[in-house]
């Protein structure tokens, strides 16, 4: 910034055109693949006592294109007791010339209800800025006092793709006398590193010149790529509730006694609900009946009330109102099970498409979802309580293969959610297809999906008939449908399976070659585009294993015979196995296809091997059969 006391040759005009954050100062390395560049980010935390942290936040973000406008919008999340002050915003153009300044009075203040929140103490102040040109830079600063000391944020360069960072610092000054634990997690791929230094009674952590992570195909979550530093006070406060978090046991005892016990209250109405179910049979049968009853009378609505939004609604409220969020519905289900004499445990989890687990050696408040676990002699039963359609004892792909914090009266036990095998994550497809001499086909199909493939097809259950037909038409886009009709749709909530039948007609399936026809071996398959990448920067992740098993029976047009067909194929790789076979039988051709893909995180050097494997599969799916007229 120019000094105000500058005089002489420096006129008022030169002060007006003072430059801040000109885009020309951003290196090409940081511009590459970046929609925004964090120019300078600075956070200072002053931990004054067990129930007071003061944050001094400042940032300058250059927005390169429209994709990052939302990322750079100034926002301040708060609730009662931690409102912000000293709010300042300045916008600069590409050359660093000031466009406009804003203050607190320019901000909108609304409920933080991006998830369709019904009730919440959470609010957000935001500045709506509509750019006229790109790039531009937003400089934003504010102070915030927070009585909740359990949520010290992790320090990481950024949390999303296509963002780069020029400079960022995170300083902690601990005046509380309470021990502050920290743990540095290095980037497993050497993508960036944190610098640590002592400074003026505090400790400073810093990142510099961290390039953007491009959203490459199959890239893992940035949390798996970037370094971070985690922090946690040994003693903390959450909305006046003080506790210890030196061990998971200590934290679990506090969680159980302060967040769960006060709302683990049954009522005569809940007792009568259980009595009316006339439960009998095994524990598994009883849990299933209670779970499906709970699903039938509740729906998901996010509710951020009660001890910072972390305490569940009372089960009585859920019972009467018929709605709740993951916390409230899980607690209600737990209360129903308690009345049936079946022990269960409220479990905190990180719900994410790329598995993220808690560190067993570093206790810290975290997680973004709650589920329920019921131990039995036959193994654990896991319940996702927010879906009216989800099958009993089935977890979706965003909650499998990671650990949870199971809250017990004796403290937290870290438990592992199920990992579904490829055989469990299965698609079975049986097609009977009539080949016609006008290049069309008429087909009837039966489809079954289980495991994680069940998750991806569960969305059909909420659609009407026309919507189902259109959805399946879009999903099976390798066929040019003239008509398509889904029927017999069933969500089998006992075994986590989706089944449906398909009746369809497709045009231009065959191609004429003289008086003969050629057609591809597999009608419905993945038509993804696969490209080699010699400059791959990141590892790649197959997020779940699965199997596809197809049987396709083609009936030839009258008077035709199979003149040429491919050889049987078998492709093996580190990533999976593919088999295809062909069998002539009277006026039919039977094609059997099997694909098994393995779950895994692979180094970037193997990416082109993976692409080669997928291309071989696509070529085999598209291998051609020739049929000709009988002479």
């Amino acid at each position: 910034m120019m000094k105000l006391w500058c005089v002489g040759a420096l006129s008022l005009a030169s002060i007006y055109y003072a430059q801040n954050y000109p885009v020309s100062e951003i290196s090409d390395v940081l511009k590459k693949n970046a929609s925004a560049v964090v120019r300078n980010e600075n956070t200072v935390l002053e931990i004054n006592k067990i129930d007071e942290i003061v944050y001094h936040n400042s940032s300058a973000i250059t927005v390169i294109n429209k994709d990052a406008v939302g990322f750079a919008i100034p926002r301040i999340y708060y609730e009662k007791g931690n409102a912000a002050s000293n709010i300042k915003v300045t916008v600069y153009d590409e050359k660093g010339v000031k466009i406009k300044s804003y203050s607190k009075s320019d901000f909108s203040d609304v409920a933080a209800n991006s998830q369709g929140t019904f009730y919440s103490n959470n609010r957000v102040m935001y500045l709506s800025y509509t750019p006229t040109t790109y790039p531009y830079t937003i400089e934003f600063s504010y102070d915030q006092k927070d009585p909740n000391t359990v949520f010290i944020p992790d320090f990481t360069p950024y949390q999303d793709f296509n963002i780069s960072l020029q400079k960022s610092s995170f300083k902690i000054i601990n005046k509380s006398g309470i021990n502050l634990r920290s743990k540095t997690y290095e980037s497993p791929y050497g993508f960036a590193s944190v610098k640590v230094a002592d400074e003026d009674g505090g400790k400073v952590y810093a990142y510099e010149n961290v390039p953007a992570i491009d959203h490459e195909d199959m890239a893992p979550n940035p949390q798996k790529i970037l370094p971070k530093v985690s922090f946690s006070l040994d003693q903390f406060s959450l909305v006046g509730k003080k506790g210890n978090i030196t061990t998971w046991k200590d934290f679990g005892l506090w969680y159980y006694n302060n967040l769960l016990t006060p709302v683990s209250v049954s009522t005569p109405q809940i007792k009568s609900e259980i009595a009316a179910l006339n439960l009998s049979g095994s524990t598994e049968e009883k849990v299933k009946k209670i779970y499906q009853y709970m699903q039938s009378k509740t729906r998901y609505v996010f509710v951020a009330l009660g001890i910072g939004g972390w305490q569940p609604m009372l089960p009585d409220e859920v019972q009467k109102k018929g709605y709740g969020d993951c916390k409230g519905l899980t607690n209600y289900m737990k209360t129903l099970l308690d009345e049936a004499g079946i022990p269960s445990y409220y479990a905190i989890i990180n719900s994410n498409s790329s598995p993220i687990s808690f560190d067993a050696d570093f206790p810290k408040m975290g997680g973004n979802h709650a589920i329920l676990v019921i131990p039995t002699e036959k193994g654990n039963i896991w319940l996702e309580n927010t879906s009216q359609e989800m099958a009993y004892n089935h977890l979706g792909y965003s909650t499998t293969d990671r650990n949870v914090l199971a809250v017990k009266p004796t403290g937290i036990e870290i438990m592992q959610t199920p990992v579904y095998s490829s055989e469990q994550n299965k698609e079975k497809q049986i097609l009977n297809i009539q080949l016609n001499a006008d290049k069309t086909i008429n087909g009837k199909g039966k489809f079954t999906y289980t495991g994680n493939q069940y998750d991806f097809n569960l969305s059909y259950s909420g659609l009407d008939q026309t919507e189902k037909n259109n959805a399946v038409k879009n999903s099976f886009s390798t066929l040019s449908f003239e008509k398509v009709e889904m029927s017999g749709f069933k969500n089998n909530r006992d075994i986590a399976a989706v089944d449906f039948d398909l009746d369809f007609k497709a045009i231009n399936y065959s191609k004429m070659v003289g008086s003969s026809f050629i057609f591809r071996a597999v009608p419905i398959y993945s038509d993804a585009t696969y490209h080699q990448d010699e400059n791959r920067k990141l590892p790649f992740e197959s997020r779940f294993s699965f199997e596809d098993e197809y049987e396709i029976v083609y009936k030839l047009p009258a008077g035709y015979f199979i003149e040429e067909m491919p050889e049987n194929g078998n492709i093996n790789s580190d990533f999976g196995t593919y088999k295809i076979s062909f069998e002539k039988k009277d006026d039919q051709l039977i094609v059997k296809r099997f694909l098994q893909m393995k779950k895994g995180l692979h180094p970037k050097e193997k990416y082109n091997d993976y692409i080669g494997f997928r291309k071989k599969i696509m070529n085999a799916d598209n291998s051609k059969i020739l049929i000709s007229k009988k002479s």
Side-chain angles (χ1 to χ4, degrees):
M1 295 288 289
M2 299 294 291
K3 304 287 187 183
L4 293 179
W5 43 261
C6 291
V7 292
L10 297 179
S11 66
L12 289 175
S14 66
I15 294 174
Y16 180 78
Y17 289 106
Q19 293 186 352
N20 292 277
Y21 306 107
V23 176
S24 59
E25 292 183 356
I26 303 174
S27 69
D28 291 340
V29 172
L30 295 183
K31 288 179 182 176
K32 185 177 181 181
N33 300 322
S35 296
V37 181
V38 179
R39 307 294 298 279
N40 190 9
E41 186 176 58
N42 182 267
T43 300
V44 178
L45 278 73
E46 295 178 8
I47 307 173
N48 295 323
K49 49 187 178 178
I50 193 171
D51 56 359
E52 182 180 291
I53 295 182
V54 178
Y55 294 84
H56 305 281
N57 301 288
S58 65
S59 63
I61 299 172
T62 295
V63 178
I64 305 294
N65 57 49
K66 63 181 178 62
D67 293 337
V69 171
F71 170 77
I73 288 175
R75 297 180 184 88
I76 304 170
Y77 291 93
Y78 75 97
E79 55 186 275
K80 184 179 179 181
N82 66 345
S85 60
N86 299 324
I87 300 170
K88 298 177 184 177
V89 177
T90 305
V91 182
Y92 303 94
D93 69 9
E94 180 177 3
K95 295 180 179 180
V97 176
K98 175 180 170 181
I99 297 173
K100 192 172 181 180
S101 292
Y102 300 89
S103 64
K104 183 176 181 178
S105 61
D106 298 304
F107 278 65
S108 298
D109 189 330
V110 299
N113 61 351
S114 59
Q115 300 184 59
T117 312
F118 239 42
Y119 300 112
S120 175
N121 287 327
N122 299 327
R123 297 192 67 80
V124 60
M125 296 173 59
Y126 71 94
L127 177 70
S128 180
Y129 176 75
T130 303
T132 55
T133 59
Y134 298 93
Y136 65 94
T137 299
I138 289 187
E139 188 178 27
F140 175 36
S141 63
Y142 66 98
D143 299 332
Q144 191 169 28
K145 184 185 290 187
D146 193 347
N148 301 316
T149 54
V150 72
F151 300 115
I152 299 176
D154 291 341
F155 180 49
T156 189
Y158 45 79
Q159 298 183 7
D160 209 346
F161 295 100
N162 304 112
I163 307 295
S164 65
L165 180 140
Q166 196 166 7
K167 184 179 180 181
S168 178
S169 66
F170 192 89
K171 182 176 182 179
I172 296 185
I173 303 170
N174 184 9
K175 304 175 184 177
S176 68
I178 301 169
N179 182 54
L180 175 70
R181 292 176 291 109
S182 66
K183 185 170 183 177
T184 298
Y185 300 83
E186 301 290 349
S187 167
Y189 307 102
F191 196 80
S193 60
V194 64
K195 297 177 181 178
V196 187
D198 293 317
E199 181 184 291
D200 298 332
K203 195 173 285 289
V204 178
Y205 303 83
Y207 300 107
E208 289 185 1
N209 298 317
V210 183
I213 298 176
D214 194 21
H215 204 162
E216 296 178 320
D217 287 342
M218 303 177 70
N221 189 298
Q223 291 183 58
K224 291 190 171 184
I225 299 169
L226 293 166
K228 73 174 181 180
V229 187
S230 287
F231 307 92
S232 184
L233 284 169
D234 282 357
Q235 286 84 44
F236 65 88
S237 179
L238 176 60
V239 193
K241 302 286 186 179
K242 296 178 174 61
N244 297 323
I245 194 169
T246 52
T247 66
W248 283 119
K249 180 180 179 180
D250 288 343
F251 183 54
L253 286 170
W254 176 86
Y255 206 110
Y256 182 84
N257 291 322
N258 288 274
L259 299 188
L260 299 184
T261 298
V263 294
S264 299
V265 181
S266 187
T267 64
Q269 290 80 9
I270 292 174
K271 293 178 187 292
S272 64
E273 283 185 295
I274 290 298
L277 290 176
N278 296 314
L279 298 172
S280 62
S282 66
T283 297
E284 290 77 15
E285 290 170 325
K286 291 176 183 177
V287 173
K288 182 194 295 184
K289 190 168 186 178
I290 297 170
Y291 177 64
Q292 293 181 348
Y293 163 76
M294 185 276 296
Q295 287 180 299
S296 72
K297 63 163 295 181
T298 60
R299 60 190 175 92
Y300 174 82
V301 174
F302 183 56
V303 180
L305 293 174
I307 309 187
W310 283 78
Q311 187 170 60
M313 294 169 60
L314 283 162
D316 182 47
E317 290 184 77
V318 178
Q319 190 265 336
K320 289 178 179 177
K321 296 175 179 177
Y323 63 72
D325 61 8
C326 64
K327 305 184 299 296
L329 294 170
T330 296
N331 188 51
Y332 174 52
M333 182 64 198
K334 182 181 185 305
T335 305
L336 290 171
L337 291 171
D338 288 343
E339 284 297 340
I342 301 171
S344 62
Y345 303 113
Y346 185 98
I348 309 153
I349 192 169
N350 288 300
S351 177
N352 194 298
S353 59
S354 185
I356 303 292
S357 284
F358 296 97
D359 185 343
D361 299 321
F362 193 81
K364 176 182 170 67
M365 183 70 138
N368 62 4
H369 190 49
I371 57 177
L372 201 64
V373 56
I374 301 100
T376 74
E377 292 181 356
K378 297 181 181 179
N380 292 327
I381 297 170
W382 297 90
L383 300 180
E384 169 57 66
N385 302 290
T386 59
S387 170
Q388 295 171 294
E389 303 295 338
M390 186 70 76
Y392 159 77
N393 197 18
H394 174 81
L395 294 182
Y397 70 95
S398 66
T399 51
T400 51
D401 191 21
R402 68 206 70 200
N403 64 25
V404 302
L405 307 179
V407 185
K408 298 184 174 184
T410 54
I412 279 175
E413 179 183 344
I414 296 180
M415 304 174 70
Q416 194 73 23
T417 62
V419 180
Y420 296 146
S421 66
S422 58
E423 293 87 352
Q424 291 172 301
N425 298 329
K426 190 164 187 172
E427 174 189 3
K428 189 165 185 181
Q429 192 183 115
I430 300 174
L431 296 178
N432 287 279
I433 293 178
Q434 173 65 58
L435 294 161
N436 302 316
D438 61 357
K439 300 187 292 185
T440 65
I441 56 173
N442 293 90
K444 293 184 181 297
K446 290 185 175 295
F447 299 80
T448 300
Y449 301 90
T450 58
N452 290 147
Q453 300 217 57
Y454 164 82
D455 303 334
F456 303 139
N457 289 274
L458 194 56
S459 58
Y460 287 122
S461 62
L463 305 179
D464 63 27
Q465 187 59 53
T466 299
E467 290 170 333
K468 282 186 173 74
N469 295 343
N470 289 334
V472 78
K473 183 177 181 179
N474 292 332
S475 179
F476 298 158
S477 58
T478 52
L479 284 174
S480 298
F481 287 108
E482 183 176 281
K483 72 167 189 175
V484 60
E485 182 83 14
M486 180 192 286
S487 61
F489 179 87
K490 181 180 180 182
N491 170 20
N492 190 328
R493 294 193 295 131
D494 291 339
I495 60 172
V498 158
D499 300 277
F500 61 81
D501 297 334
L502 215 61
D503 192 346
F504 62 89
K505 181 177 183 180
I507 61 173
N508 297 321
Y509 188 71
S510 306
K511 182 179 179 181
M512 291 196 69
V513 180
S515 60
S516 302
F517 291 92
I518 58 172
F519 59 92
R520 67 173 183 266
V522 179
I524 298 170
Y525 62 97
S526 170
D527 61 345
T529 303
Y530 300 104
H531 297 292
Q532 299 278 329
D533 186 356
E534 301 300 333
N535 300 308
R536 177 87 186 189
K537 302 297 183 186
L538 302 175
F540 62 101
E541 184 178 31
S542 297
R543 293 185 175 174
F544 65 95
S545 57
F546 66 90
E547 281 187 5
D548 292 343
E549 184 180 327
Y550 298 176
E551 181 176 306
I552 307 138
V553 179
Y554 290 99
K555 186 173 182 180
L556 276 56
Y560 280 79
F561 71 100
I562 299 168
E563 186 169 337
E564 293 181 14
M565 68 179 185
E567 297 290 329
N568 295 342
N570 193 339
I571 308 169
N572 293 302
S573 80
D574 293 337
F575 314 106
T577 301
Y578 173 89
K579 299 176 183 178
I580 191 166
S581 65
F582 304 88
E583 178 188 357
K584 298 178 184 178
K585 191 174 182 181
D586 300 326
D587 62 345
Q588 295 181 342
L589 171 66
I590 302 170
V591 180
K592 293 183 179 180
R593 176 192 189 268
F594 174 83
L595 172 64
Q596 182 187 70
M597 293 296 295
K598 298 177 183 178
K599 173 186 174 70
L601 185 63
H602 305 285
K604 62 183 180 180
E605 290 78 12
K606 288 192 172 185
Y607 183 71
N608 286 340
D609 294 338
Y610 172 81
I611 294 300
F613 175 59
R614 296 309 300 245
K615 283 186 172 181
K616 287 178 182 178
I617 293 171
M618 184 170 283
N619 289 338
D621 286 343
N622 276 294
S623 56
K624 300 299 187 289
I625 296 104
L626 176 68
I627 60 173
S628 300
K629 276 188 176 181
K630 297 175 182 177
S631 55

